[in-house]
Amino acid sequence: MMNAIERRSTFALSSIFALRMLGLFMIIPVFSVAGQSYQYATPALIGLAVGIYGLTQAILQIPFSLIADRYSRKPLVVLGLLLFAIGGAIAAMSDTIYGVIIGRAIAGGGAVSAVVMALLADVTREENRMKAMATMGMSIGLSFVVAFTLGPWLTGLVGISGLFWVTTIMGLAAIVMLLMVPKVTRHHRNFQQGYLTQLKQVLKMGDLNRLHVSVFSLHLLLTAMFIYVPSQLIEFADIPLASHGWVYLPLLVVSLFFAFPSIILAEKYRKMRSIFLTAIAGIILGLLVLIFGFESKYILLTGLGLFFIAFNVMEALLPSWLSKAAPIQSKATAMGVNASSQFLGAFFGGTVGGQLLLLNDTAMGWSILTAIAIIWLVISFGLAQPRYLSSLVLRLPENRQTDEWTSQLLSIHGIEEVVVMSEQQVAYVKVDKQQIDDSARQQLTHLLGKEVAI
């Protein structure tokens, strides 16, 4: 059961994530059509305008996250949200496709997705990490529901420039939400290493790399699909662009109902790997349906529905798995590489989607995306089940220095990290139960002056 700090922080950080993603996603389902109104627009430049956000995110996620593993995370989040808001304003004031591309690139410079995820991991215990990360994943899914419903409608109401102004407002609103998150101080072993060493450690971990490939593939397919599919909904399903939101809404709502039980099964019964692989297979199935049935309105919608169900399951599982697999001292760095992979996937997805629009063979376009998903599934078979840690919640001592106390805790074999929230007078102590022996339990009892159940 989450405590008050965890509930409040999870709500705030999930809201920040959702507000940013809402601003991003509202553009995706309409821009391949609405973007044609800009001066100098071509299919390739429209795809670039959608995807350039992902490129700058991909480039800057790792520098932001390397810094976030050394210093306070909250100021970095504020900086990132300000860049996001400024970029949206620049795009809103642009009359040419090149101005939109510049604005989107600046908005992408606020590359703090990994920092937000790492901050959420700091303020939640291991037992509740899956719930918190799944809530963040669900907030992304919910932002899809709202974005793909509101995006087409708002475009008809305020135009594409007005839609960019909405993204600016959402970026500023997200900064306000950050006030709900407590200030934390992190303590762990083996922190004294250079930035390059820290990055190399993360890049050498096979399962982390498979997760990076997964998030790259997932967002490549998503972005390419929403560049590619609006014209097909218009042509084959006879659904005008302004009504596309009412197509996506029921499909996405249904997909969320499948995601929740999947998360419970993955965590409670430790079935993360099998559900993960099943979700990739679901994406492949949805794409196969689209290859053979895109000309039929109802088969087209069925394929999209299968894709959304699998997508939302994946979106909920990936952050939690990553938080379990990431090294303690390089948590934000690992999440930064993953976020870079995510947004690099979005960039390539925009580029691929723009090229697919130039094809005269719709089935071939869906076949290309299916081939990408199959390669992803093959790579993911090498994943092993993540390890499961637990956390203790301890009151800060009143009669000794916090730094000395945390150092003594970290000297006990099996204790990997201590996160201190000084304003709340609470510390979360991350424990590997398999490493804790009788000697370690006695040391912990002596330090705390009481026996603690582990």
Side-chain angles (χ1 to χ4, degrees):
M1 189 99 178
M2 285 190 177
N3 59 35
I5 294 173
E6 290 171 319
R7 288 194 299 270
R8 186 172 65 248
S9 299
T10 299
F11 171 76
L13 293 171
S14 297
S15 298
I16 289 170
F17 227 103
L19 286 168
R20 288 177 71 251
M21 291 296 148
L22 187 59
L24 169 64
F25 293 150
M26 282 196 301
I27 305 300
I28 293 175
V30 299
F31 200 74
S32 63
V33 176
Q36 297 172 20
S37 63
Y38 286 96
Q39 288 183 336
Y40 315 117
T42 67
L45 289 176
I46 287 172
L48 180 61
V50 173
I52 191 69
Y53 178 95
L55 180 62
T56 50
Q57 283 275 324
I59 292 170
L60 293 175
Q61 284 287 344
I62 294 175
F64 265 99
S65 60
L66 283 167
I67 295 170
D69 272 328
R70 306 300 179 93
Y71 303 103
S72 177
R73 309 205 206 270
K74 289 179 71 173
L76 288 172
V77 176
V78 172
L79 174 61
L81 292 173
L82 284 174
L83 287 172
F84 177 78
I86 291 169
I90 291 172
M93 293 185 288
S94 299
D95 296 320
T96 70
I97 192 68
Y98 296 109
V100 174
I101 291 170
I102 292 170
R104 295 275 292 170
I106 293 172
V112 292
S113 296
V115 184
V116 173
M117 287 175 60
L119 184 55
L120 180 59
D122 290 339
V123 296
T124 53
R125 291 167 290 167
E126 285 291 324
E127 299 91 318
N128 293 321
R129 184 74 44 75
M130 180 71 170
K131 297 175 188 175
M133 290 295 179
T135 300
M136 180 171 283
M138 289 299 97
S139 75
I140 297 172
L142 183 59
S143 68
F144 275 130
V145 174
V146 178
F148 289 129
T149 303
L150 288 184
W153 177 74
L154 280 175
T155 302
L157 189 66
V158 299
I160 192 68
S161 62
L163 206 58
F164 283 120
W165 280 120
V166 172
T167 69
T168 295
I169 293 169
M170 289 178 176
L172 297 175
I175 296 176
V176 177
M177 298 299 298
L178 196 60
L179 297 174
M180 299 174 64
V181 182
K183 179 181 178 182
V184 302
T185 306
R186 305 179 307 279
H187 303 267
H188 40 66
R189 300 188 185 92
N190 302 323
F191 188 71
Q192 298 302 320
Q193 57 181 345
Y195 287 109
L196 188 58
T197 302
Q198 187 175 331
L199 182 58
K200 284 181 178 178
Q201 177 197 23
V202 168
L203 294 177
K204 288 180 180 178
M205 300 181 68
D207 271 7
L208 279 182
N209 288 331
R210 291 183 183 93
L211 294 176
H212 303 331
V213 170
S214 293
V215 79
F216 172 88
S217 303
L218 183 66
H219 285 267
L220 184 154
L221 293 170
L222 176 77
T223 309
M225 170 178 279
F226 281 104
I227 294 292
Y228 197 40
V229 81
S231 60
Q232 294 176 40
L233 288 174
I234 294 171
E235 180 180 355
F236 300 116
D238 197 28
I239 301 173
L241 180 64
S243 300
H244 285 189
W246 300 110
V247 174
Y248 303 135
L249 176 61
L251 295 178
L252 288 164
V253 169
V254 169
S255 73
L256 291 177
F257 283 104
F258 281 87
F260 279 110
S262 299
I263 293 162
I264 294 170
L265 286 172
E267 182 68 16
K268 185 175 181 180
Y269 299 103
R270 302 193 175 186
K271 298 288 186 181
M272 288 189 75
R273 183 179 181 276
S274 58
I275 292 176
F276 191 90
L277 295 176
T278 301
I280 302 176
I283 286 174
I284 293 171
L285 178 60
L287 293 172
L288 286 171
V289 169
L290 291 168
I291 291 174
F292 298 106
F294 64 88
E295 292 180 327
S296 166
K297 175 180 179 179
Y298 296 105
I299 297 178
L300 177 62
L301 295 178
T302 298
L304 289 175
L306 290 170
F307 182 92
F308 284 139
I309 289 169
F311 175 85
N312 275 315
V313 172
M314 290 294 299
E315 198 69 72
L317 288 179
L318 269 168
S320 176
W321 196 327
L322 184 65
S323 70
K324 293 178 185 295
I328 297 296
Q329 70 275 17
S330 305
K331 190 188 304 174
T333 302
M335 291 177 174
V337 175
N338 194 261
S340 288
S341 302
Q342 172 187 336
F343 287 105
L344 194 61
F347 169 72
F348 278 103
T351 304
V352 169
Q355 294 303 311
L356 293 181
L357 288 174
L358 300 177
L359 290 176
N360 293 320
D361 189 338
T362 304
M364 177 59 70
W366 288 120
S367 298
I368 290 170
L369 297 182
T370 303
I372 293 170
I374 291 172
I375 294 170
W376 169 23
L377 178 62
V378 171
I379 292 172
S380 297
F381 265 103
L383 280 166
Q385 284 280 11
R387 66 173 184 156
Y388 291 79
L389 303 179
S390 58
S391 295
L392 300 174
V393 181
L394 303 178
R395 299 293 301 177
L396 296 183
E398 298 179 358
N399 55 352
R400 70 183 80 175
Q401 291 292 324
T402 301
D403 288 346
E404 176 190 354
W405 182 71
T406 56
S407 296
Q408 291 175 328
L409 278 171
L410 289 169
S411 68
I412 299 173
H413 186 63
I415 292 181
E416 299 197 5
E417 183 182 37
V418 181
V419 176
V420 174
M421 287 165 274
S422 54
E423 293 177 0
Q424 287 75 25
Q425 289 294 297
V426 167
Y428 291 162
V429 181
K430 184 178 290 186
V431 178
D432 185 343
K433 289 185 177 181
Q434 295 182 343
Q435 299 294 323
I436 289 282
D437 54 21
D438 289 338
S439 175
R441 287 189 178 87
Q442 290 175 4
Q443 286 180 271
L444 186 59
T445 300
H446 177 73
L447 177 61
L448 301 178
K450 62 179 180 179
E451 188 173 347
V452 178
I454 297 179

